């Protein structure tokens, strides 16, 4: 056999080996992530229902905050968050297994007591820990363990939202903007589908909204473009509000326990001042009303930014993605009709555009639009995503996210999101 033939045979062998390896490893990560993600979804849903049935639980927010601080201090996990998971992919750091119960329990406490947060922060952290540790069990090398972490992120995201394609693309895209980890495409789609399959076995409904999509027309296209400009500004403002609140609150209240107590009291006071519970928890009913009924308060998006900034800035745990859904949907629902757009349709456009501006993931955002609203007239969403991605600049929810290539020209910049 010639040297060339041997080389070709070696390449084929490596490809087949990698294929089988990732079917097994990513499949296992997906199954584990699917079960844990489903349990987490059920726990958060039940905690929300319990809080809604017992409004007095809101007054336990300061106690819940202190319990979260105690939990993280007892397990020495204070520095572990979504940014740390992203860094683990960049630098090959191992993700501790104890992070799973910590973020699981603390996020449930946040939702039970009425903090304003989402679920995906926990999904990425739980998934990252699962992927890292499964990679260790299989004795994967440094490069493959990084892919295993991304697999875990996509698996639990898929389980929580029922959006396997978005989960796959988001996990691959969020790490480094401008660089797509193609080697992780098969592993992530396998883990996402495996996790999604577990949710189907457990009869968990995927997230989906019924909206009326407008026929394609230039008359509506320019209105969508103007809406997208507003979404870019809102997403940038939200990211800045999150970062500034974290710095300022930590500086003013350096003691973690005091910070949690004051934050809890502030959220209680704000809730009583507003006069309703729309801004506690995920606010999924408000999102659904904006999308399917075209109803939203004119200041709902600003109040959600305030509630979320206080919640996460004071040490409560959760994610920022569902708040971006809330902010985008309510903002679009209000601005859209002023531009001559149907309220529910503009709410859907703005939900996806604000998400994109906040996380810098245009391809995942396009998949999100498809899985949440269907593929009809996707060009509207694509235009809004493109505009929001560019005009939101280099801010981002995750400070560990790297912007590899410039948004304005074909130039390598390799900077962190601001």
């Amino acid at each position: 056999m010639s040297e060339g033939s041997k080389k070709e045979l070696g390449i084929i062998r490596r490809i087949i080996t990698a294929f089988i390896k990732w079917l097994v490893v990513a499949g296992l990560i997906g199954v584990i992530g699917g079960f844990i993600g489903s349990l987490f979804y059920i726990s958060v849903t039940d905690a929300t229902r319990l809080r809604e049935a017992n409004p007095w639980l809101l007054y336990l927010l300061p106690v819940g905050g202190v319990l979260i601080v105690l939990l993280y201090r007892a397990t020495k996990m204070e520095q572990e968050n979504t940014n740390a998971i992203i860094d683990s992919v960049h630098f090959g750091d191992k993700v501790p297994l104890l992070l799973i119960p910590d973020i699981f329990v603390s996020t449930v406490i946040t939702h039970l007591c009425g903090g304003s947060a989402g679920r995906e922060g926990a999904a990425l952290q739980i998934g990252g820990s699962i992927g890292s540790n499964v990679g260790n069990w299989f004795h994967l090398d440094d490069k493959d363990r990084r892919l295993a972490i991304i697999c875990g992120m996509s698996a639990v995201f898929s389980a929580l939202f029922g959006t396997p394609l978005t989960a796959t693309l988001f996990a691959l895209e969020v790490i480094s903007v401008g660089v797509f980890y193609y080697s992780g495409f098969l592993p992530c789609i396998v883990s996402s589908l495996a996790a999604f399959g577990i949710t189907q076995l457990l009869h968990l409904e995927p997230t989906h909204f019924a909206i009326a999509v407008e026929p394609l027309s230039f008359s509506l296209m320019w209105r969508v473009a103007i809406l997208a400009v507003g979404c870019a500004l809102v997403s940038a403002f939200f990211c800045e509000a999150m970062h500034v609140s974290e710095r300022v609150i930590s500086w003013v209240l350096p003691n973690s326990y005091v910070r949690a107590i004051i934050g809890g009291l502030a959220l209680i006071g704000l809730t009583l001042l507003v006069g309703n519970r729309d801004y506690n928890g995920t606010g999924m009913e408000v999102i659904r009303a904006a999308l399917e009924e075209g109803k939203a308060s004119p200041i709902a998006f600003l109040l959600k930014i305030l509630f979320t900034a206080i919640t996460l800035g004071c040490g409560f745990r959760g994610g920022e993605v569902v708040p971006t859904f809330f902010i985008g949907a309510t903002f679009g629902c209000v601005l859209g009709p002023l531009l001559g757009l149907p309220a529910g349709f503009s709410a859907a456009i703005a939900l996806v555009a604000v998400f994109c501006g906040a996380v810098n993931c245009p391809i995942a955002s396009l998949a999100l639009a498809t899985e949440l609203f269907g593929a009809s007239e996707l060009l509207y969403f694509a235009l809004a995503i493109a505009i929001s991605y560019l005009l939101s600049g280099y801010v981002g929810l995750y400070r560990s996210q790297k912007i590899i290539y410039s948004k304005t020209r074909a130039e390598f910049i390799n900077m962190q999101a601001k």
Side-chain angles (χ1 to χ4, degrees):
M1 183 180 293
S2 67
E3 287 299 320
S5 298
K6 289 180 180 179
K7 186 176 181 181
E8 288 294 327
L9 188 60
I11 292 173
I12 293 171
R13 187 182 295 115
R14 285 195 296 273
I15 290 174
I16 293 174
T17 300
F19 177 70
I20 296 172
K21 174 181 68 179
W22 286 117
L23 284 182
V24 174
V25 176
L28 179 60
I29 291 171
V31 169
I32 297 173
F35 275 114
I36 296 179
S38 297
L39 179 59
F40 179 67
Y41 174 85
I42 294 168
S43 299
V44 169
T45 301
D46 287 347
T48 300
R49 289 174 180 163
L50 187 59
R51 186 190 74 244
E52 291 172 348
N54 300 275
W56 57 268
L57 285 170
L58 174 70
Y59 300 102
L60 294 182
L61 260 172
V63 177
V66 170
L67 289 176
I68 291 171
V69 174
L70 285 170
L71 176 63
Y72 272 79
R73 287 209 168 176
T75 54
K76 296 180 172 57
M77 293 284 160
E78 296 101 316
Q79 304 305 315
E80 297 296 332
N81 52 32
T82 305
N83 283 310
I85 299 298
I86 294 174
D87 277 339
S88 70
V89 178
H90 287 149
F91 305 115
D93 300 331
K94 294 182 180 180
V95 184
L97 193 61
L98 273 176
L99 183 58
I100 295 176
D102 279 10
I103 189 62
F104 190 117
V105 172
S106 60
T107 303
V108 170
I109 290 173
T110 297
H111 285 272
L112 178 66
C113 297
S116 174
R119 303 169 300 199
E120 101 298 332
L124 299 181
Q125 293 173 51
I126 291 171
S129 181
I130 292 171
S132 178
N133 284 279
V134 170
N136 291 337
W137 300 340
F138 280 93
H139 302 290
L140 298 183
D141 62 23
D142 176 66
K143 300 295 184 183
D144 282 348
R145 192 175 64 249
R146 299 185 197 204
L147 288 184
I149 292 171
I150 299 175
C151 281
M153 293 164 64
S154 61
V156 184
F157 192 107
S158 174
L160 280 184
F161 292 98
T163 54
L165 181 57
T166 303
T168 297
L169 297 176
F170 178 72
L172 292 170
E173 196 176 15
V174 74
I175 305 299
S176 300
V177 178
V179 173
F180 199 84
Y181 288 82
Y182 287 100
S183 58
F185 194 24
L186 174 69
C188 285
I189 197 70
V190 168
S191 62
S192 290
L193 288 174
F196 182 68
I198 296 299
T199 66
Q200 296 300 288
L201 288 175
L202 297 175
H203 305 292
L204 300 181
E205 290 295 323
T207 305
H208 186 80
F209 302 99
I211 65 165
V213 178
E214 297 298 306
L216 196 62
S217 75
F218 181 78
S219 174
L220 291 184
M221 197 67 77
W222 70 264
R223 292 178 170 87
V224 168
I226 295 174
L227 175 63
V229 173
C231 292
L233 297 175
V234 168
S235 63
F237 176 70
F238 176 53
C239 292
E240 288 292 344
M242 295 300 298
H243 300 324
V244 170
S245 67
E246 183 180 5
R247 290 196 304 268
V248 171
I249 292 172
S250 297
W251 178 70
V252 175
L253 301 170
N255 185 285
S256 300
Y257 296 102
V258 173
R259 190 158 61 239
I261 293 170
I262 297 298
L265 292 173
L267 290 169
I268 293 170
L270 279 172
T271 302
L272 296 176
L273 183 64
V274 170
N276 60 58
R277 307 294 176 97
D278 288 349
Y279 309 99
N280 305 115
T282 59
M284 288 300 293
E285 291 307 312
V286 177
I287 297 171
R288 193 170 295 278
L291 293 166
E292 298 182 353
E293 301 173 26
K295 297 178 181 178
S297 165
I299 61 170
F301 73 98
L302 290 173
L303 287 173
K304 189 62 174 179
I305 291 173
L306 178 61
F307 272 74
T308 307
I310 293 174
T311 298
L312 299 182
C314 288
F316 292 88
R317 300 286 169 159
E320 303 92 345
V321 165
V322 175
T324 67
F325 291 178
F326 186 115
I327 293 161
T330 53
F331 174 73
C333 187
V334 172
L335 181 59
L338 300 179
L339 296 171
L341 294 169
F345 171 67
S346 56
I349 294 287
L351 182 154
V352 176
V354 170
F355 168 78
C356 178
V359 300
N360 296 305
C361 296
I363 308 302
S365 299
L366 202 57
L368 179 68
T370 303
E371 292 186 308
L372 290 186
F373 309 116
S376 179
E377 306 300 357
L378 198 58
L379 193 57
Y380 284 125
F381 291 94
L383 176 64
I385 288 166
I387 291 172
S388 184
Y389 172 72
L390 176 62
L391 296 184
S392 60
Y394 295 105
V395 299
L397 286 176
Y398 310 120
R399 303 297 285 271
S400 292
Q401 183 183 56
K402 287 189 177 181
I403 313 291
I404 303 298
Y405 284 94
S406 168
K407 290 188 177 185
T408 60
R409 56 185 296 174
E411 182 180 15
F412 178 80
I413 57 175
N414 194 22
M415 60 178 283
Q416 286 189 298
K418 298 178 181 178

